[in-house]
Amino acid sequence: MIDSYDRPPLGSWRDLFLALVCLLVIALFAFGCEDGHHHSSDAAAPRVSNNSDSAAVVPGVSGTGGAAAAASDPLPPGAVRWCYGGFDGSRAQHDARCRISSLRVTNPSGLSLRWGSGIPGDWAKDQNGLVIFALFFQAGDGSWKGGKIDWINAARSTRDLKNPAAGYGGWNWGEYLAAKKHAAVVVSADGRQRSNWIFD
C-alpha cells in the first residue's frame, strides 16, 4: 500500500502547472505553422555578383524583367537605358542556354569574355552564328547606359571598341571613358532572348 502523503492531492499547483505546459505544447504544434508567409533565401539582402547570373542585384537598380527573368537578373530589362547602337534589347528575356562570363574591359582598345556555352541555334542571324554584343557603363549619376557595339559569335572571345569610339549609333565616347564600371550582355539577332549579364 502506498502512503497518500507521498504525492500531492489532485488539483494541486503541480498538476495545474503540468496541465498548462501540456496545453502550451499542444497549442504550439497545432498553430505554430499556420502562418503561410514563408521567406526563402532568395529574399535575402541584395548582393553584387561579378560575372554570373546568380540572384544578385546592383544597388540603385530596381525592377524585374517578368516571370521569365527569374532571380537571375542583376540588371533586369527596363532597368538600363539602351541608348546607343541603334538597337533596343530592353525586351529580351533571359535564356539560360547562353551563358557568358569573365568580362575584361581594357579602354580604349577592347574587351574580352568567356563563353560558358555556345549560342543557341535559334538565336543566330545567319549560318555564321552571329548575335548582338552589347556593352554598358555606369554613368556619373549611377544609371546604366549603353547598347550594341557589334555582332559576335562563339568563335570570338574579344571585341574592339572602334564602333563606340567612332560614335556608332550615337555612342558618347567621352562619357563611356569616364566610367569605372562596365557590364555586357549577348542578345539574339531578333532581340527576343539574351544571355546573363556580366561585369568587370
Side-chain angles (χ1 to χ4, degrees):
M1 180 175 175
I2 300 175
D3 294 330
S4 61
Y5 63 83
D6 287 337
R7 62 185 178 201
L10 289 176
S12 71
W13 64 269
R14 189 181 300 173
D15 290 332
L16 290 174
F17 177 75
L18 289 174
L20 286 174
V21 169
C22 289
L23 286 174
L24 181 61
V25 170
I26 291 169
L28 286 175
F29 278 107
F31 304 109
C33 297
E34 195 171 288
D35 181 12
H37 302 291
H38 299 290
H39 300 286
S40 69
S41 59
D42 290 341
R47 296 175 295 128
V48 175
S49 177
N50 289 338
N51 303 322
S52 75
D53 61 347
S54 61
V57 176
V58 173
V61 176
S62 60
T64 62
S72 57
D73 273 329
L75 296 177
V80 295
R81 288 189 282 167
W82 290 74
C83 325
Y84 309 128
F87 170 80
D88 182 1
S90 62
R91 295 181 182 272
Q93 296 294 308
H94 177 241
D95 184 344
R97 294 179 299 160
C98 185
R99 183 173 174 80
I100 55 178
S101 65
S102 304
L103 176 66
R104 291 187 181 180
V105 178
T106 307
N107 287 331
S109 57
L111 54 85
S112 66
L113 68 138
R114 289 184 183 173
W115 293 94
S117 61
I119 295 171
D122 57 340
W123 276 38
K125 177 181 180 182
D126 54 28
Q127 67 274 13
N128 295 319
L130 292 171
V131 293
I132 293 164
F133 184 82
L135 181 64
F136 291 81
F137 61 92
Q138 192 168 34
D141 62 1
S143 65
W144 288 86
K145 299 168 65 175
K148 176 186 171 188
I149 66 165
D150 213 334
W151 293 91
I152 195 170
N153 62 26
R156 297 199 59 163
S157 59
T158 61
R159 284 276 57 153
D160 61 48
L161 297 173
K162 291 178 182 176
N163 282 345
Y168 168 71
W171 266 90
N172 184 328
W173 185 240
E175 188 179 17
Y176 166 79
L177 287 178
K180 304 296 183 188
K181 296 180 181 179
H182 307 89
V185 68
V186 174
V187 183
S188 62
D190 62 10
R192 295 181 179 178
Q193 307 291 326
R194 66 168 177 81
S195 71
N196 56 299
W197 289 93
I198 56 176
F199 302 87
D200 64 356

